[in-house]
Amino acid sequence: FYFGDDKKIKIDGGTNLGKLKKDELAKLYSECDFGMVFSYTNISLVPYEMMAAGLPLVELKEGTFTEFMPENAAVLYDGACEKLYEELKKRIFDEEYFEETDRRNKRLLRERNWEKATEDMIAVLNGVENGD
């Protein structure tokens, strides 16, 4: 399932659900086994929503996710499909691993707020300005 685009856009390999309301999004998250957010340029609220819903998360390794969250908060996809499969299988079917990851991610989310997000963004911008 995909969401966020105009529903008229057809996507191979899945169903485009269009733009969703809060209750529709919560229902979708409760029905999924994992969530994928592939953004190279910026982190949105979607990874936070998925983590809060208890979904194992897949993000791009080369994206900006790790500028805001620790690497172990998500499966970081680097193009290796077998590695992705193994990591998702572990996070979905290993109950102890799933619960520990979920607890850790929810603890991370409790520590997040708009002030912390602003500080992180300023640090990223300062790094860009300094050539980092």
Side-chain angles (χ1 to χ4, degrees), residues 23-105:
D23 59 332
E24 294 170 321
L25 195 56
K27 184 177 185 298
L28 174 64
Y29 290 164
S30 73
E31 295 172 351
C32 292
D33 293 316
F34 61 91
M36 298 177 103
V37 183
F38 284 4
S39 176
Y40 283 106
T41 57
N42 62 347
I43 186 170
S44 71
L45 294 177
V46 175
Y48 296 103
E49 293 170 356
M50 290 180 172
M51 289 166 61
L55 288 175
L57 181 63
V58 181
E59 265 282 5
L60 290 171
K61 185 171 187 159
E62 295 88 18
T64 58
F65 181 79
T66 56
E67 297 290 330
F68 301 92
M69 297 297 265
E71 285 188 19
N72 63 2
V75 175
L76 298 178
Y77 179 66
D78 61 2
C81 294
E82 285 296 320
K83 181 179 161 190
L84 174 63
Y85 169 75
E86 291 300 325
E87 283 295 317
L88 282 174
K89 189 168 71 169
K90 182 169 56 173
R91 289 176 190 246
I92 293 170
F93 297 111
D94 182 334
E95 190 172 327
E96 186 176 314
Y97 189 81
F98 173 84
E99 288 176 1
E100 175 56 33
T101 302
D102 188 49
R103 274 193 301 274
R104 184 180 57 243
N105 284 353

Side-chain angles (χ1 to χ4, degrees), residues 122-132:
I122 290 169
V124 169
L125 293 173
N126 285 335
V128 169
E129 184 178 275
N130 296 327
D132 296 337

